[in-house]
Amino acid sequence: MVEPFLELDSVDKDFGSIRAIHDLSLQIPAGEVTAIIGPNGAGKTTLFNLLTGKFGPTAGQISFRGERIDGRPPHEIVEMGLARSYQITNFFPELTALENVRLAAQARYSGFAPQNFVSHYTDLDEPLEIAYDVLQRLELESIANEVASTLSHGQQRHLEIGIALAVAPDVLLMDEPTAGMSPDETGETKELIQELADDLTLVIVEHDMEVVMEVADNIAVINRGSLLATGSPQDIQSNEAVQKAYLGGGAR
Ligand SMILES: Nc1ncnc2c1ncn2[C@@H]1O[C@H](COP(=O)(O)OP(=O)(O)OP(=O)(O)O)[C@@H](O)[C@H]1O
Ligand SMILES: [Mg+2]
């Protein structure tokens, strides 16, 4: 039997009287692209917040490579190899692209404590090399020394993926990687996702169904905090319950 990779078992997450995630069991396989789709407010970002330790579940268990991760602080989960990028762009706007990625790479060497972020800033060559590698991989090397706030929206979103990649994760969670992008930027992001999929396990929340259907190996559909369906892109496209809850109407 294959050991489960990333797994949720009967997970609930309540915010006061709101049950954002309800009895969710889901297995995310290694080495594949899993897309999480569903209407606004379905619980997709909450699912990411649970996987990355921002919140603990109200009930149920989450495991990664057979180890419980629910209840662990976010930095421990990152150190175990699980990183994320955000639905809302998240970087230091006044720093350059290179500095942003280098700080993230440096976190690997400094125990993730914020006070250590800048301490050995100039001493360490390795984070700098990692940062250059990451920028190259994202085709951002030409803007390495530009201040992040001056980059285009598409570049900023890719930079954010770079910040997540700088910790050399095995699993990368991306929350709406194409949100707010032009059609060209979306196309570039789709290609980037396909490249990253060559050596990472990817979990993406995405509303652009063209992107989802092209990049995903597996799709999980969430509706009102519960799992509505899982399957291949073909299965999901022909699933009546999914059509009714999401693909037919609610999709952006
Ligand atoms: N920190 C929080 N405190 C209180 N309620 C929250 C919190 N985070 C999410 N919720 C609620 O949980 C539910 C699920 O929200 P979530 O952001 O996970 O949805 P989503 O599927 O990511 O939606 P979208 O597609 O709009 O990004 C919503 O009712 C939301 O208001
Ligand atoms: Mg969301």
Side-chain angles (χ1 to χ4, degrees):
M1 210 185 101
V2 183
E3 185 184 286
F5 189 62
L6 183 55
E7 190 172 32
L8 290 95
D9 184 14
S10 309
V11 169
D12 288 342
K13 178 61 190 173
D14 295 344
F15 294 109
S17 60
I18 296 170
R19 177 148 290 181
I21 296 287
H22 179 60
D23 195 24
L24 185 68
S25 295
L26 182 64
Q27 296 198 346
I28 293 166
E32 298 191 351
V33 180
T34 299
I36 312 287
I37 66 171
N40 295 125
K44 304 178 299 294
T45 297
T46 302
L47 169 60
F48 274 17
N49 287 334
L50 291 167
L51 289 171
T52 56
K54 181 171 180 189
F55 303 135
T58 307
Q61 300 190 359
I62 305 172
S63 57
F64 179 41
R65 295 189 177 116
E67 278 188 71
R68 287 279 293 273
I69 58 168
D70 53 278
R72 293 192 193 220
H75 72 265
E76 273 185 36
I77 297 175
V78 172
E79 282 166 355
M80 290 171 78
L82 201 148
R84 79 182 288 185
S85 67
Y86 290 82
Q87 180 169 5
I88 299 161
T89 306
N90 200 300
F91 52 75
F92 294 109
E94 71 282 9
L95 298 183
T96 67
L98 184 66
E99 285 164 343
N100 267 286
V101 180
R102 177 157 78 163
L103 279 177
Q106 209 164 303
R108 267 167 79 189
Y109 298 85
S110 327
F112 290 90
Q115 66 272 25
N116 290 338
F117 263 19
V118 281
S119 56
H120 308 295
Y121 194 75
T122 52
D123 307 346
L124 294 170
D125 286 345
E126 204 168 351
L128 188 62
E129 280 167 25
I130 293 167
Y132 272 121
D133 282 352
V134 164
L135 289 180
Q136 227 160 22
R137 201 166 169 192
L138 297 171
E139 294 178 16
L140 291 177
E141 67 271 32
S142 62
I143 53 89
N145 294 313
E146 288 181 30
V147 173
S149 62
T150 65
L151 303 177
S152 71
H153 177 71
Q155 288 170 330
Q156 290 180 345
R157 300 299 315 260
H158 285 197
L159 173 61
E160 220 226 328
I161 293 171
I163 290 168
L165 285 177
V167 300
D170 303 311
V171 184
L172 178 61
L173 312 181
M174 290 189 264
D175 199 350
E176 302 201 25
T178 74
M181 286 189 172
S182 68
D184 280 355
E185 289 172 336
T186 297
E188 285 166 21
T189 304
K190 192 177 69 189
E191 283 171 24
L192 176 62
I193 292 169
Q194 286 166 326
E195 279 169 36
L196 296 175
D198 287 344
D199 44 23
L200 284 173
T201 299
L202 297 179
V203 187
I204 62 170
V205 166
E206 182 55 58
H207 282 288
D208 185 324
M209 281 309 118
E210 239 179 82
V211 173
V212 168
M213 295 303 167
E214 271 190 60
V215 305
D217 300 303
N218 322 292
I219 299 176
V221 188
I222 296 181
N223 191 33
R224 297 169 193 247
S226 296
L227 190 66
L228 186 64
T230 56
S232 68
Q234 291 74 18
D235 295 339
I236 295 303
Q237 269 172 316
S238 57
N239 181 308
E240 258 179 55
V242 176
Q243 287 289 340
K244 211 169 149 196
Y246 184 51
L247 295 179
R252 281 196 230 136

